[in-house]
Amino acid sequence: YGLSWKRFDPKPYLLLLGVAAIFLGVGSFLSDIQEYYPRFARSGASLFLRENPEASRAWLVTIYELCYGSSFISVELIFRGFLIFAFTKTLGGYAVLPMGVTYAFLHFGKPLGETASSIFGGYVLGIISYNSRNIWGGVFIHLGVAWLMELFGWLQR
């Protein structure tokens, strides 16, 4: 299901993430993105910190972001790993299209720009996973985009 590290080269993903960072930076000025990010701000952590003043905000943010980031490993495993590699046997390369459409549904309720870009991004990550036979590039991109959105959200505040 794409968990092999064979054929993983991080260089193209760094380029993709660099291009995405430009769009994410520009998009961070949109009001719906500013209301949604950073996700930590909407997590209820401020209530916890108010009740536990001895708790370290920096550690809480770090733990939150690591947990938030770890969720993208399962997303990639399900969408790029299972939905592509399991259906490749019957659909071949056409397995990427239904995966991309299904992946877009995951983004409903998020800001419009993010939902719309997930269609294109999911399709591109699907093609890359299909050709490389692994999900690690998608994990790298997904984590990078998520944490960049968090960073840009913090910077907008």
Side-chain angles (χ1 to χ4, degrees), residues 85-152:
F85 300 129
F87 291 104
T88 297
K89 294 173 183 157
T90 55
L91 297 175
Y94 294 111
V96 173
L97 186 59
M99 176 283 307
V101 172
T102 308
Y103 178 70
F105 281 106
L106 181 68
H107 291 80
F108 284 8
K110 293 184 177 185
L112 181 60
E114 183 176 350
T115 303
S117 66
S118 74
I119 298 167
F120 175 73
Y123 186 70
V124 169
L125 290 177
I127 291 170
I128 292 170
S129 293
Y130 177 77
N131 288 324
S132 69
R133 305 303 297 162
N134 72 60
I135 65 166
W136 298 113
V139 170
F140 181 79
I141 294 291
H142 224 143
L143 283 170
V145 166
W147 284 336
L148 280 171
M149 287 306 302
E150 289 289 288
L151 174 64
F152 289 137

